[in-house]
Amino acid sequence: MSHKLRSSRIDALVRCCHSVNLCQKSTMLFQSISRLRLQSFPRRTIRIVQFHINCNSFNGNKLGDVSEYKIINEGKAEILQPSCVFYNPVQEFGRDLTVAAVANFVQIRQQEIKDGKFKKGQYLTKTFQGNSDRRSTKETSHDDEIIQAGKKYENEISILEGLSASGLRSIRFGLEVPGVKRIVTNDFDKAAVDIIQKNIERNKLDHLVTSSLGDASMVMHMSKGTDEAFDVIDVDPYGSPAQFLDAAVQSINEGGLLCVTCTDMAVLCGNNPESCRARYGTMSHKSSYCKEMALRILLQSIETTANKYTRYIVPMISIRADFYIRVFVRVFESAEKVKLSSLKFGNVYHCMGCGSFTLQKLARKIPKRNAFHIVAEYGPPVSDKCEHCNQRHQVVGPVWADRLHDVDFVNKVINYVQENKDDFQTHRRIMGMLSLISEELQDSPMYYLIEDLCKAVHISQMKQQMFMSALLNAGFEVSMSHAEQNSIKTNASNRDIWDIIRSWEKLHPARQLRLVPGSVAANILSQDPVLDVSFDQHPGAKQESKKAA
Ligand SMILES: C[S@@+](CC[C@H](N)C(=O)[O-])C[C@H]1O[C@@H](n2cnc3c(N)ncnc32)[C@H](O)[C@@H]1O
Ligand SMILES: [Zn+2]
């Protein structure tokens, strides 16, 4: 490569991808380039250039020597993994969960066909129904057969992994998910697709899995409304999936399962609110509950995108794990339901002093003759200054204000993983996480962190069970959130929450020196609690999933 690598080229590389692992020759080249052209480029750019030098290594052998590949065993798959193609062992949890979720989705789909909810071959978006030269309505002949993984079933589920790297996830779908018609394993990196093909052959899945080289959005758009459209689409990018959502929600078959990962957590959690708005349509903000907000921002974005095409989503599982969030949503089509979508959005008023939050729905229903219509909600739901600490609010939204999970589906996945433990290395974590999810209060968005509540008034931290007991003794509902440790979800109001803190402070006083007049802590503690608080141990304060763990 010439030392005169142009900045515009580097910019293009920035947009392409980022990864690591330099061979010695690339290191030398890279060092020369760095000296000449890149002094002022951020570290991420440098990593991207490293990637390209490595993967396109100029000796013409992109993937290097097969003997240098690692062999990865995960689930039932055994794949070859060269250093220049993405692989993250930490995401085995996410892949295990996805395999289990997709396997359960297939069963649900089959049941829906039996129940007559969908006819076989009738999954296509209504926009394309009647376009008979583009679709078929073939019937299958395996109604009484025991459906197996690894076998091809005509007119059953088709899966697209749009961004596949080495194809590990798709190979696992092929070997572990029963009732599949075909799996397309796509990546826009030639080196990745070469290794995908090798891995398909290695796992003897040529009859079921096809490698594909292309831009994921393009592949989705090309499939739209044809026999080739997909029932399951997996979007697992570096960073934000925003650019793929439009194609995904349009092209997926009616009732299909869309699985989306975001790793740009900093953006979603308020580090760059303006980038969050540009990607997802919502200003993010910093808060104790930002991990759940990240999920709500993503779901809002998918729903808004789907609504443009008379489609809407139903979240099945929305999960935050490690450094990413991932949602599994079904995509349906209905002009009537889309009209109701405004009821699923809300704005959050977040106090910048004490962190109290109030969710206000975007819209409300009002009766109209024998029906109703949807109008904007009244507002604001809070005063100019926070009634607890006298600070101002930030308004954040719109965000998804509806349920995050389908608990029946979550329980089905738990049972499936329990019954097939040997196939899932991370089964303990999946069952623990999904149990927490199944116990989450579905209609109490966001959560409090006890640590942050106590910090706000300078008192020592209260135990989670103590806090939960106080809420339960006062008659409120309470659960944890899977998204954060020591989190509290409840239907109690901000005032009730602060009353519990105030009552605790009376038993364990804050140091007066730290209660500067006019400060957040002083303002909160200057009010007497109204709620009758008891810290007696409540039997419900120990959640089932915690007991099991
Ligand atoms: C995070 S990795 C995928 C990991 C994989 N799903 C797994 O489970 O191991 C992201 C992959 O997306 C590919 N990629 C990035 N942008 C793409 C695009 N527009 N179309 C297709 N592939 C893309 C990259 O080459 C990379 O291999
Ligand atoms: Zn406040």
Side-chain angles (χ1 to χ4, degrees):
M1 182 185 281
S2 155
H3 284 177
K4 288 180 187 150
L5 185 66
R6 303 243 312 272
S7 324
S8 59
R9 173 92 199 280
I10 297 167
D11 276 346
L13 298 179
V14 171
R15 274 180 260 115
C16 288
C17 49
H18 55 83
S19 188
V20 283
N21 295 322
L22 273 177
C23 62
Q24 200 187 4
K25 189 175 161 194
S26 304
T27 308
M28 283 157 55
L29 257 166
F30 170 67
Q31 282 166 350
S32 336
I33 293 167
S34 305
R35 270 198 304 278
L36 289 171
R37 309 285 306 180
L38 288 176
Q39 284 95 339
S40 60
F41 274 74
R43 203 183 307 146
R44 182 162 170 262
T45 311
I46 293 170
R47 271 194 268 126
I48 290 156
V49 177
Q50 287 172 346
F51 173 88
H52 275 262
I53 293 167
N54 190 35
C55 248
N56 295 315
S57 48
F58 308 109
N59 58 16
N61 180 9
K62 276 182 152 196
L63 287 166
D65 197 306
V66 180
S67 63
E68 289 167 11
Y69 300 170
K70 278 192 191 143
I71 293 180
I72 310 285
N73 289 287
E74 193 183 288
K76 291 200 163 85
E78 181 184 278
I79 62 148
L80 296 172
Q81 183 65 53
S83 62
C84 71
V85 174
F86 176 94
Y87 166 66
N88 188 349
V90 173
Q91 283 180 338
E92 178 167 1
F93 169 76
R95 285 186 289 268
D96 275 359
L97 177 62
T98 305
V99 169
V102 171
N104 277 274
F105 168 71
V106 175
Q107 289 175 7
I108 290 174
R109 203 62 151 164
Q110 283 160 353
Q111 192 58 47
E112 285 173 346
I113 293 170
K114 277 193 192 140
D115 296 348
K117 280 194 192 158
F118 289 103
K119 291 190 189 122
K120 276 177 185 153
Q122 297 280 319
Y123 291 134
L124 295 180
T125 156
K126 292 190 183 72
T127 320
F128 294 99
Q129 284 179 14
N131 196 355
S132 55
D133 57 333
R134 298 197 82 194
R135 59 186 286 272
S136 80
T137 52
K138 275 178 281 176
E139 291 291 314
T140 52
S141 56
H142 55 263
D143 283 350
D144 299 321
E145 208 181 314
I146 294 171
I147 312 256
Q148 295 164 15
K151 237 177 127 177
K152 182 181 175 79
Y153 295 91
E154 279 308 332
N155 229 23
E156 284 293 345
I157 299 298
S158 60
I159 304 174
L160 169 67
E161 190 188 3
L163 303 97
S164 309
S166 57
L168 171 56
R169 188 178 297 241
S170 291
I171 301 284
R172 291 196 55 188
F173 290 149
L175 296 171
E176 297 171 43
V177 176
V180 174
K181 173 175 143 188
R182 73 186 181 113
I183 299 164
V184 174
T185 310
N186 178 74
D187 204 284
F188 75 173
D189 176 14
K190 174 80 170 66
V193 178
D194 287 348
I195 204 70
I196 289 168
Q197 189 51 43
K198 282 191 169 48
N199 284 329
I200 293 171
E201 287 158 18
R202 190 178 182 88
N203 288 273
K204 304 193 172 41
L205 283 172
D206 314 57
H207 59 296
L208 203 55
V209 186
T210 317
S211 63
S212 154
L213 174 66
D215 174 72
S217 297
M218 197 59 89
V219 175
M220 291 188 264
H221 278 302
M222 294 298 285
S223 74
K224 190 171 67 180
T226 72
D227 273 352
E228 309 293 296
F230 299 98
D231 304 285
V232 176
I233 296 183
D234 193 301
V235 177
D236 180 36
Y238 306 121
S240 170
Q243 61 168 305
F244 304 107
L245 296 182
D246 209 71
V249 296
Q250 282 186 71
S251 65
I252 196 163
N253 277 336
E254 162 81 344
L257 184 72
L258 176 60
C259 321
V260 182
T261 311
C262 292
T263 63
D264 55 343
M265 289 302 281
V267 166
L268 287 159
C269 284
N271 275 10
N272 305 89
E274 73 291 355
S275 303
C276 191
R277 209 246 5 114
R279 287 176 196 174
Y280 301 99
T282 301
M283 294 286 285
S284 57
H285 73 310
K286 292 187 179 169
S287 69
S288 310
Y289 49 86
C290 77
K291 308 276 166 49
E292 186 176 310
M293 274 298 264
L295 287 167
R296 293 184 179 280
I297 290 172
L298 173 61
L299 289 171
Q300 175 279 138
S301 184
I302 304 177
E303 172 79 354
T304 303
T305 311
N307 289 171
K308 289 192 277 180
Y309 306 102
T310 345
R311 301 191 127 198
Y312 67 97
I313 61 166
V314 176
M316 308 303 280
I317 303 177
S318 309
I319 195 163
R320 177 252 153 174
D322 304 317
F323 54 91
Y324 62 90
I325 55 170
R326 182 150 170 87
V327 297
F328 299 83
V329 301
R330 292 192 71 183
V331 182
F332 295 95
E333 191 159 325
S334 157
E336 279 307 302
K337 292 263 175 68
V338 168
K339 279 189 194 166
L340 300 178
S341 273
S342 314
L343 299 168
K344 298 190 273 183
F345 295 111
N347 286 314
V348 176
Y349 286 75
H350 175 83
C351 171
M352 296 176 73
C354 67
S356 294
F357 55 83
T358 307
L359 180 92
Q360 183 186 39
K361 289 279 183 86
L362 206 63
R364 66 199 158 91
K365 265 184 187 177
I366 55 168
K368 188 185 170 194
R369 292 190 200 98
N370 293 334
F372 58 84
H373 65 176
I374 311 279
V375 295
E377 186 51 281
Y378 297 116
V382 292
S383 316
D384 182 34
K385 297 274 180 72
C386 171
E387 59 176 304
H388 312 292
C389 74
N390 206 33
Q391 305 294 308
R392 300 200 64 184
H393 294 96
Q394 278 183 316
V395 191
V396 186
V399 297
W400 179 258
D402 212 58
R403 295 185 165 197
L404 294 177
H405 324 283
D406 175 325
V407 175
D408 280 350
F409 184 75
V410 173
N411 287 329
K412 280 198 176 93
V413 178
I414 295 175
N415 292 338
Y416 184 88
V417 172
Q418 172 85 38
E419 282 162 18
N420 298 280
K421 271 186 195 160
D422 293 347
D423 293 345
F424 301 107
Q425 184 74 22
T426 65
H427 62 266
R428 268 198 202 88
R429 188 171 176 210
I430 295 183
M431 290 191 291
M433 196 76 122
L434 293 187
S435 301
L436 266 177
I437 283 179
S438 71
E439 292 165 16
E440 273 178 12
L441 289 183
Q442 289 291 309
D443 299 316
S444 297
M446 273 77 79
Y447 49 80
Y448 300 90
L449 291 185
I450 302 170
E451 187 188 352
D452 292 351
L453 294 170
C454 294
K455 258 192 209 153
V457 293
H458 310 305
I459 56 172
S460 54
Q461 194 176 328
M462 195 189 306
K463 285 213 169 88
Q464 189 179 33
Q465 278 188 32
M466 193 80 80
F467 200 93
M468 282 187 159
S469 291
L471 284 163
L472 289 165
N473 291 334
F476 297 112
E477 294 179 359
V478 63
S479 79
M480 291 187 283
S481 161
H482 80 280
E484 194 84 72
Q485 291 210 327
N486 284 328
S487 53
I488 299 279
K489 273 181 166 290
T490 177
N491 59 349
S493 66
N494 289 310
R495 171 153 295 281
D496 299 321
I497 294 292
W498 287 122
D499 274 359
I500 292 173
I501 294 288
R502 289 178 187 113
S503 305
W504 183 255
E505 195 270 343
K506 289 201 184 301
L507 300 173
H508 308 271
R511 285 179 56 202
Q512 288 303 310
L513 269 180
R514 305 187 68 181
L515 298 181
V516 181
S519 67
V520 168
N523 287 340
I524 291 173
L525 295 178
S526 66
Q527 302 178 38
D528 278 330
V530 178
L531 188 72
D532 192 9
V533 178
S534 155
F535 291 107
D536 292 349
Q537 174 76 39
H538 189 288
K542 222 174 173 207
Q543 276 203 296
E544 287 305 315
S545 53
K546 255 206 142 180
K547 275 189 232 161

